[in-house]
Amino acid sequence: MKISEKYRLKALDCEKRGREAKEYEAKCAWADVAIEWHCLANRTAQESSLDRELKPS
């Protein structure tokens, strides 16, 4: 799995947690974190030297 894919999965998880949150402030906080992960995923994908395959642990 590439690093950008891992970051994108983290973003999707944050979006899911935001949808599940009951409080408006928590929904907004999760949305903000998701946006940051999406940005990081995009930046890493664009900088192909950083977007290497992760080794299984």
Side-chain angles (χ1 to χ4, degrees):
M1 171 185 294
K2 291 187 175 188
I3 294 173
S4 61
E5 293 168 354
K6 180 178 180 179
Y7 293 164
R8 197 151 328 272
L9 289 175
K10 288 182 178 287
L12 295 174
D13 183 55
C14 290
E15 290 175 1
K16 178 179 179 268
R17 291 173 187 264
R19 287 190 302 272
E20 294 170 349
K22 297 188 187 320
E23 296 178 10
Y24 177 75
E25 291 81 11
K27 288 180 181 288
C28 291
W30 281 116
D32 289 344
V33 174
I35 289 169
E36 293 298 324
W37 278 119
H38 279 299
C39 290
L40 189 56
N42 288 338
R43 190 174 334 138
T44 304
Q46 289 174 350
E47 298 170 1
S48 60
S49 65
L50 297 176
D51 196 21
R52 59 190 176 278
E53 292 286 330
L54 294 173
K55 295 178 184 174
S57 49

